[in-house]
Amino acid sequence: MSCQAALNPLVRSPGWCFVLSPHAIAAVSRFYLPHHTQSLRNESIRCWSNIPFITMPLSRAHGKSFAHRSELKHAKRIVVKLGSAVVTRGDECGLALGRLASIVEQVSMLQNQGREMMIVTSGAVAFGKQRLRHEILLSQSVRQALHSGQSQLKDMAIPVLEARACAAAGQSGLMALYEAMFTQYSICAAQILVTNLDFHDEQKRRNLNGTLHELLRMNIVPIINTNDAVVPPPEPNSDLQGVNVISVKDNDSLAARLAVEMKTDLLIVLSDVEGLFDSPPGSDDAKLIDIFYPGDQQSVTFGTKSRVGMGGMEAKVKAALWALQGGTSVVIANGTHPKISGHVITDIVEGKKVGTFFSEVKPAGPTVEQQGEMSRAGGRTLAALQPEQRAEIIYRLADLLTDQREEILLANKKDLEEAENKGRLALPLLKRLSLSTSKLNSLAIGLRQIAASSQDSVGRIIRRTRIAKDLELEQVTVPIGVLLVIFESRPDCLPQVSALAIASGNGLLLKGGKEAAYSNQILHHLTQEALSIHGVKDAVQLVNTREEVEDLCRLDKLIDLIIPRGSSQLVRNIQKAAKGIPVMGHSEGICHVYVDTDASVEKVTRIIRDSKCEYPAACNALETLLIHRDLLRTPLFDQIIDMLRVKIHAGPKFASYLTFSPSEVKSLRTEYGDLECCIEVVDSVQEAVEHIHKYGSSHTDVIITENEKTAEFFLQHVDSACVFWNASTRFSDGYRFGLGAEVGISTSRIHARGPVGIEGLLTTKWLLRGDNHVVSDFSEHGSMKYLHENLPLPHRNTS
């Protein structure tokens, strides 16, 4: 059956009519041999007759490349170039089948989204090499068996195989493999072999262009390769022949030429390295370049090319820049790493920070990587200042908050107006976004508290030991390093966190929500103005680029600790995205108040009202009220219900006591963040503790009782960061604890738990001072003995 007949179901599909050019039919028929015709017919009916060729609005005017990674999700037409190192095995003889299958799956996924995918592939030489080696070994073994008359064959030497012959033998097998893989996703593919002459001959170029457009129009994935069976050896230094012509000497240049010819939105070049480095990968100082701009070639030192293939990284960069000049965005990434190869293509299209992105638009300010390095250097200088100098910076910032009050409130007004006009923030979040004179005054007071308490925070000796005579050990406090604090709708968070970072000598990266952009900008400007009095302006950086939070969480070489401040969803997302960086925070604030049988009526109503109604959006607000069973149907219970002018959800046990109950709670692990809460009944203080451990978030839990024994049992047995007796949950706050401010509330079981102030932002290091001491002196027959005497600590300034 001919290929034209095999395509009949497509031609006659209802609502679609196509005229197929001989070139397109030839491309498909080269791929679908006669014994595949029946499967083609079946797949055609199943796939092509039901799926329109454009299923999502991705088209855009071509002519200018994307400026930012986040725009790559709009790419409609995409070329994926697979380097030889990606598709071949480590022995360079045969294909990496698992890796290739994963790439085909990703390409199919994008194709089925309505994108137009093209593949420029290597691998024919490696596949043919494997095939020819097998044939040669088989032929030699047969000849030796016929002529030697010996039962054992002599060692057989494999001759050097000529690359063109290998390509000729491997092309059909390579395409058959692509056919089998794409068929699993109901996608048709077509083979196109090209040489440099096909681009220089105008008629051939038009034919190639027309064939590719027609295949894409029919939802077919073109698979393109240089025709290595007939291609001449590459000429040295013939990559670029001017601004409008690129010589096709390898698949890198082929992919670039093809991308520009076809007005492609995105070219993805997969190799065996993570992307472009500023020096050869593997060297000590090599750094991955996130974004590469034209003209940056002088800052890069290229190494040798990969173990297989024609082009090295220098060829890839030249091809990428040529494609970029032609209006196609380019990303060079690793297609061989087992941890990322399974989603590298889709990650790139989603705009994630993978590989090196080529862009013509240079940002006005530093990149986030540069900001991280600046913060690291600035933080070290900050830590080396005298405590009085760090305190002076914080005092200056406190003064600026009150002196520049009008400018701050004006910027905040802009944020509030934009948020209200766009209607993108709920009322509790608008309240968090809002600044006022009283808020600024409270901030200034808190900053002065931090300055006063920070005098001996860094470099404080917390342990001294005499190891042996003239050998003394000290453990001293030091900054953690560089902190990344991510916060939503809370511009007042910026000066608080900045002051704590300054006091503890840490570098700081701040990522605020776009809803507070104007407020954050002026507050950061004032922070840097305060830092400038001692020349450490760079220690605190505000990330204003389009970096996604997930990408920031991958900067494990620049960031030492992530502190999220925002919704529980934000915290969970950051905890999930952080790769190798510890996260300090709480995912939820499910706070409980337990009302015991011995509770005071007056205290119950005051504490519950303050815990729930004073600021319901806060993470330390009451969410579940636990009431002892004996209090049901008592005047105290009636007073609680009358006082709580909020929406009430009934827990399962509470609902069972009522004839007409409020709506039963969907989950006892709910953080409402609004004027609503859950009420549940318990039989004892022990059951209250068990309930809190089962459904709480280890944030803040309270008991109201006049029975000291019951209270102490609750305080000792509840395993939460903050446990209170006869006090509102709202006291769980750094300012109210006397810490001046907090970077957040930690519910994890690390060194910092509850409201985290200066102490939580410090770690320690060990200092050992000796005099020609060596370990061998302390051996069994050595001259010295360990003393391990605890020494008194120096007097601590607590003023």
Side-chain angles (χ1 to χ4, degrees):
M1 184 183 294
S2 69
C3 186
Q4 179 71 60
L7 290 171
N8 277 340
L10 168 65
V11 179
R12 296 171 183 171
S13 296
W16 299 94
C17 180
F18 297 98
V19 177
L20 306 179
S21 73
H23 304 293
I25 294 173
V28 177
S29 62
R30 186 183 300 122
F31 179 24
Y32 285 92
L33 301 177
H35 65 278
H36 293 120
T37 305
Q38 186 60 41
S39 64
L40 172 62
R41 174 188 290 174
N42 295 335
E43 293 300 326
S44 301
I45 296 171
R46 182 158 59 95
C47 176
W48 291 342
S49 62
N50 298 320
I51 299 179
F53 295 127
I54 298 179
T55 59
M56 58 192 297
L58 291 165
S59 59
R60 72 180 185 98
H62 188 80
K64 195 171 183 181
S65 60
F66 294 118
H68 306 282
R69 283 184 186 268
S70 58
E71 298 172 351
L72 295 180
K73 59 179 176 287
H74 301 299
K76 163 70 176 175
R77 185 171 291 173
I78 302 171
V79 171
V80 178
K81 186 266 176 179
L82 307 178
S84 300
V86 175
V87 298
T88 60
R89 297 193 318 228
D91 61 4
E92 304 176 21
C93 185
L95 302 180
L97 297 179
R99 196 182 302 145
L100 200 58
S102 175
I103 290 169
V104 167
E105 180 180 16
Q106 295 173 75
V107 171
S108 300
M109 185 187 304
L110 295 172
Q111 180 80 5
N112 286 331
Q113 289 176 359
R115 305 180 198 267
E116 296 175 345
M117 305 298 296
M118 291 178 278
I119 294 178
V120 175
T121 183
S122 302
V125 173
F127 198 61
K129 183 178 180 181
Q130 180 188 38
R131 189 172 176 183
L132 291 180
R133 285 183 64 178
H134 177 77
E135 292 297 327
I136 291 170
L137 285 171
L138 182 62
S139 174
Q140 287 182 348
S141 63
V142 171
R143 284 200 304 272
Q144 288 193 20
L146 289 175
H147 296 99
S148 68
Q150 299 175 4
S151 59
Q152 292 185 342
L153 301 177
K154 298 178 180 178
D155 293 337
M156 295 173 289
I158 303 296
V160 177
L161 300 175
E162 208 275 329
R164 294 187 186 86
C166 292
Q171 282 167 354
S172 60
L174 178 64
M175 292 311 303
L177 185 62
Y178 275 117
E179 170 195 4
M181 290 181 174
F182 275 111
T183 299
Q184 302 302 312
Y185 304 96
S186 301
I187 290 178
C188 179
Q191 178 186 19
I192 296 178
L193 298 174
V194 298
T195 65
N196 202 19
L197 296 176
D198 294 318
F199 290 96
H200 290 287
D201 185 292
E202 188 61 29
Q203 184 60 48
K204 288 184 177 181
R205 196 163 68 91
R206 282 200 300 266
N207 291 344
L208 175 62
N209 194 289
T211 299
L212 289 170
H213 276 93
E214 190 157 0
L215 292 173
L216 294 176
R217 186 166 61 96
M218 293 188 294
N219 206 31
I220 296 173
V221 176
I223 299 178
I224 306 107
N225 193 0
T226 51
N227 192 353
D228 293 325
V230 298
V231 71
E235 298 177 13
N237 301 320
S238 62
D239 292 290
L240 301 176
Q241 304 292 337
V243 294
N244 297 318
V245 180
I246 186 170
S247 173
V248 177
K249 76 165 193 172
D250 54 40
N251 277 342
D252 295 318
S253 51
L254 168 60
R257 181 66 185 259
L258 185 71
V260 174
E261 288 282 340
M262 294 298 294
K263 295 182 171 58
T264 310
D265 299 317
L266 174 62
L267 168 61
I268 299 174
V269 180
L270 296 183
S271 181
D272 57 352
V273 291
E274 279 69 22
L276 179 61
F277 289 78
D278 56 1
S279 57
S283 57
D284 291 338
D285 298 325
K287 293 180 181 178
L288 179 66
I289 298 173
D290 174 41
I291 305 177
F292 189 81
Y293 305 98
D296 284 356
Q297 296 96 311
Q298 291 78 12
S299 62
V300 177
T301 303
F302 294 101
T304 58
K305 72 181 189 69
S306 64
R307 57 181 171 80
V308 288
M310 296 288 294
M313 185 55 72
E314 188 171 8
K316 289 175 175 56
V317 171
K318 288 181 178 179
L321 290 174
W322 191 88
L324 187 69
Q325 188 179 8
T328 296
S329 297
V330 183
V331 175
I332 297 178
N334 192 333
T336 64
H337 197 292
K339 289 186 178 180
I340 63 173
S341 60
H343 46 82
V344 60
I345 298 173
T346 51
D347 280 355
I348 289 170
V349 176
E350 289 172 8
K352 294 181 180 178
K353 187 174 276 191
V354 179
T356 300
F357 173 61
F358 286 71
S359 174
E360 293 183 297
V361 181
K362 256 193 172 179
T367 66
V368 68
E369 288 83 3
Q370 290 170 333
Q371 285 185 298
E373 292 172 353
M374 292 161 66
S375 180
R376 173 82 69 190
R380 286 172 175 161
T381 305
L382 181 66
L385 295 177
Q386 293 299 314
E388 297 78 11
Q389 293 176 304
R390 288 193 295 270
E392 188 180 348
I393 293 171
I394 302 170
Y395 281 125
R396 176 60 180 153
L397 178 56
D399 292 340
L400 287 171
L401 290 179
T402 53
D403 295 346
Q404 305 294 323
R405 178 186 304 112
E406 298 302 323
E407 289 82 355
I408 296 170
L409 294 179
L410 184 62
N412 185 245
K413 184 181 178 182
K414 288 184 183 179
D415 289 324
L416 288 168
E417 288 174 350
E418 284 196 9
E420 289 171 353
N421 292 336
K422 294 178 181 178
R424 66 188 182 193
L425 288 182
L427 190 59
L429 293 180
L430 277 173
K431 189 176 179 182
R432 287 186 181 184
L433 177 61
S434 175
L435 292 175
S436 63
T437 300
S438 61
K439 267 193 179 182
L440 292 175
N441 288 336
S442 296
L443 274 173
I445 294 171
L447 264 59
R448 292 186 179 101
Q449 284 183 352
I450 294 171
S453 63
S454 66
Q455 295 296 319
D456 64 344
S457 57
V458 180
R460 177 167 52 89
I461 302 172
I462 61 175
R463 179 182 180 130
R464 293 180 66 215
T465 305
R466 179 176 287 118
I467 304 296
K469 186 178 183 297
D470 296 329
L471 183 63
E472 292 188 4
L473 178 69
E474 290 180 349
Q475 186 181 15
V476 300
T477 57
V478 293
I480 289 175
V482 175
L483 314 176
L484 168 63
V485 178
I486 302 168
F487 55 100
E488 296 176 320
S489 309
R490 291 281 300 270
D492 56 330
C493 174
L494 194 151
Q496 287 179 334
V497 172
S498 297
L500 288 169
I502 294 165
S504 57
N506 285 288
L508 179 63
L509 287 176
L510 293 159
K511 176 66 173 176
K514 58 186 176 182
E515 65 278 354
Y518 295 111
S519 305
N520 290 338
Q521 189 172 359
I522 187 169
L523 290 171
H524 177 249
H525 173 74
L526 296 177
T527 302
Q528 290 202 313
E529 183 178 331
L531 286 163
S532 297
I533 65 176
H534 286 297
V536 285
K537 176 182 176 182
D538 291 341
V540 177
Q541 298 284 325
L542 180 65
V543 179
N544 285 317
T545 61
R546 296 193 181 195
E547 302 294 330
E548 297 293 334
V549 169
E550 185 175 344
D551 292 328
L552 290 172
C553 292
R554 293 176 178 172
L555 301 176
D556 58 314
K557 291 182 174 59
L558 298 174
I559 297 167
D560 299 299
L561 179 66
I562 301 175
I563 305 173
R565 293 195 63 177
S567 67
S568 58
Q569 188 60 51
L570 170 74
V571 178
R572 282 194 295 269
N573 289 342
I574 291 172
Q575 288 173 335
K576 184 179 179 181
K579 306 296 183 184
I581 308 174
V583 178
M584 183 165 64
H586 65 279
S587 59
E588 292 171 311
I590 304 174
C591 302
H592 296 75
V593 171
Y594 166 58
V595 182
D596 186 54
T597 52
D598 297 322
S600 160
V601 174
E602 180 186 359
K603 292 177 184 177
V604 166
T605 53
R606 278 172 49 82
I607 291 171
I608 292 176
R609 181 190 296 112
D610 188 78
S611 296
K612 179 71 255 185
C613 305
E614 198 267 341
Y615 189 9
C619 66
N620 57 9
L622 163 66
E623 302 295 2
T624 298
L625 177 61
L626 299 176
I627 298 179
H628 195 284
R629 181 186 59 185
D630 294 346
L631 294 177
L632 293 177
R633 300 184 179 91
T634 65
L636 174 57
F637 177 77
D638 294 338
Q639 281 186 264
I640 293 172
I641 298 301
D642 290 341
M643 177 272 300
L644 266 181
R645 301 292 182 181
V646 301
K647 183 178 180 180
I648 293 175
H649 303 274
K653 288 185 68 175
F654 181 48
S656 68
Y657 285 100
L658 303 175
T659 305
F660 300 101
S661 71
S663 61
E664 189 166 340
V665 68
K666 294 181 180 178
S667 171
L668 290 167
R669 292 190 182 95
T670 301
E671 182 181 14
Y672 298 100
D674 207 345
L675 288 173
E676 52 184 313
C677 72
C678 168
I679 296 180
E680 183 57 310
V681 174
V682 293
D683 293 339
S684 64
V685 66
Q686 290 90 345
E687 189 176 330
V689 171
E690 291 171 2
H691 179 101
I692 291 169
H693 288 167
K694 185 173 183 180
Y695 300 109
S697 61
S698 302
H699 193 293
T700 301
D701 299 293
V702 172
I703 183 172
I704 306 176
T705 185
E706 296 304 299
N707 188 315
E708 184 176 353
K709 183 178 179 181
T710 303
E712 286 301 323
F713 178 90
F714 187 90
L715 293 174
Q716 297 303 320
H717 286 80
V718 171
D719 185 17
S720 295
C722 300
V723 188
F724 302 159
W725 173 21
N726 288 347
S728 168
T729 59
R730 297 279 290 120
F731 278 104
S732 180
D733 175 83
Y735 173 75
R736 297 181 182 113
F737 276 16
L739 306 179
E742 65 187 31
V743 292
I745 294 180
S746 172
T747 57
S748 56
R749 285 159 175 80
I750 56 175
H751 72 290
R753 200 171 181 210
V756 180
I758 299 173
E759 297 291 330
L761 301 181
L762 297 171
T763 184
T764 64
K765 71 177 180 181
W766 297 90
L767 305 178
L768 183 64
R769 296 180 176 89
D771 183 15
N772 196 29
H773 288 82
V774 293
V775 171
S776 59
D777 288 343
F778 295 83
S779 64
E780 184 178 355
H781 302 292
S783 59
M784 300 196 72
K785 300 293 182 183
Y786 288 111
L787 299 177
H788 293 151
E789 296 175 358
N790 290 328
L791 299 175
L793 299 178
H795 177 70
R796 183 179 180 183
N797 179 14
T798 57
S799 60

